[in-house]
Amino acid sequence: MVQVDDIPLENVSAMIGDYDICVVKDFEMNSDVISRAKNMKLIMQFGVGLDGVDINAATKQGIKVAKIPSGETGNAASCAEMAIYLILALLRKQHQMEIAVKHKRLGEPIGDTLLGKIVSFAVVIMGFGNIGVHLAKRLCIGINGTNYNYDDLVDERGCHDDILKFASKADIVVCCLAMTTETVRLLIGIVNNDFISTMKKGALLINIGRGGVLDYEAVYNNLKLGHLGGLGIDVAWTEPFDPLNPILQLPNVIITPHVAGVTQSSFRYMAKVVGDVALQLHAGKMSYIGIEIVN
């Protein structure tokens, strides 16, 4: 028999020593908590991001840490769709439309559209993993009535100077970067004042990766000055983000509550993976189907 318990967050530290597997969602598994997990064999994230798990502490204690790859869960596809939603919401001026409805004004605001200008219109996708690939595929379907092959896309890579070159050509920059050890070391705040200043005046910035990739002050100042045309984010610098933060008072900023990958289909799939892995662990198997061990 496999025993499954849903433990209140405030009780996790006191009770974690009794369990063999921990499924993490919205909880920080720091070194103190992990040190109490004397019987723990596997810490498993209910999703892809492992920012809240101290992987080094788990490794020292002989605990495996795993995530559920986004490709099979539908997470990557739904995140790509969220990026497109944020792009369209900014182009069509969602906030102004809400005001127009409230004041019974028809036919305004005058928004912008993707139709007819995608061919000459550049999109930089920072982070070409599962989400970036799904986004690129969706942006290339139905352009001026033509279905372009994914094989025609170019995954162009380079150093920091190259990234600035890409940014200078883009009408939209989409950040899909995961918060890995490498991105923490190299890319925190990479979308800084230099980066944004290089972007076209009026260009849009979308972030569905991790909040720390954007330099808050640079983004806020360039939005106020009008150089940055709009900001659409599903991830923020701190979460939950303060709804009274000045950046959210700007009319060309749209935020969603970290729900890009939160869909019924992805949650059902991940729940099945969790159950399957628990049964595999209970059966004494040393390798697990459906998850990716990271240490």
Side-chain angles (χ1 to χ4, degrees), residues 25-43:
K25 185 178 183 294
D26 301 327
F27 180 74
E28 184 179 357
M29 289 289 288
N30 56 35
S31 58
D32 178 61
V33 176
I34 291 172
S35 68
R36 301 167 185 261
K38 301 302 182 183
N39 296 320
M40 190 69 59
K41 299 177 180 65
L42 177 66
I43 297 172

Side-chain angles (χ1 to χ4, degrees), residues 70 74-86 131 134-135 138 174 176 206 208 234 259-263:
S70 65
N75 176 284
S78 59
C79 287
E81 291 171 2
M82 176 62 79
I84 294 172
Y85 164 79
L86 291 169
I131 296 173
H134 275 275
L135 176 58
R138 281 159 174 74
V174 182
C176 308
I206 308 295
I208 55 170
D234 184 58
V259 292
V262 180
T263 64

Side-chain angles (χ1 to χ4, degrees), residues 96-114:
Q96 289 92 325
M97 285 194 289
E98 293 170 357
I99 293 171
V101 169
K102 183 178 180 180
H103 293 281
K104 301 181 180 180
R105 298 198 296 261
L106 299 179
E108 58 179 270
I110 299 173
D112 210 339
T113 177
L114 291 172

Side-chain angles (χ1 to χ4, degrees), residues 12-13 79 108 117 139 160 162 177 180 197 224 259:
V12 170
S13 296
C79 287
E108 58 179 270
K117 61 178 181 180
L139 289 174
H160 186 267
D162 293 318
L177 292 163
T180 64
S197 297
K224 286 205 305 180
V259 292

